[in-house]
Amino acid sequence: VIYFAPSINYKWSDRWSLEATLVTGWLQVDPLAGVDVDKALGYELDLGFNFKPNDRVTWINQIGLFSPGSAFKAGDVNNFDTNFAYGLATKAAISF
């Protein structure tokens, strides 16, 4: 697999920051014997919004949006669903 994942980070202020990553990938070989599988793995956009009220605490909020490529269908024989997916995460990081 070859992945390409450019990322950008923006420090809005001392307390607020934003980040974004766009990920895509392509298969180099067919993963299934005897089945012709497309190479495109799809696209994922990861967005983050962070708040740091002081040096010891950071509140991190993230969302991931994934659009699967045709490789996830696993060929014409299997023809699996490739529906859009997303995930949300929030966490607090505390440094001692």
Side-chain angles (χ1 to χ4, degrees):
V1 175
I2 292 179
Y3 285 97
F4 180 68
S7 180
I8 188 168
N9 293 314
Y10 177 71
K11 189 172 182 180
W12 192 351
S13 70
D14 289 340
R15 293 183 174 198
W16 301 96
S17 64
L18 305 169
E19 55 190 42
T21 304
L22 179 64
V23 184
T24 189
W26 303 271
L27 295 173
Q28 296 302 297
V29 297
D30 284 332
L32 302 173
V35 178
D36 186 29
V37 176
D38 288 335
K39 305 294 186 220
L41 292 174
Y43 295 93
E44 180 174 341
L45 177 61
D46 297 324
L47 303 170
F49 182 70
N50 304 324
F51 174 63
K52 189 171 186 174
N54 59 52
D55 289 341
R56 298 194 177 272
V57 177
T58 305
W59 182 31
I60 302 165
N61 298 284
Q62 300 169 320
I63 183 169
L65 309 167
F66 179 56
S67 178
S70 52
F72 285 95
K73 289 186 178 188
D76 294 333
V77 175
N78 294 312
N79 201 23
F80 296 132
D81 287 334
T82 55
N83 297 328
F84 177 82
Y86 67 93
L88 301 168
T90 187
K91 60 186 173 181
I94 301 170
S95 301
F96 295 98

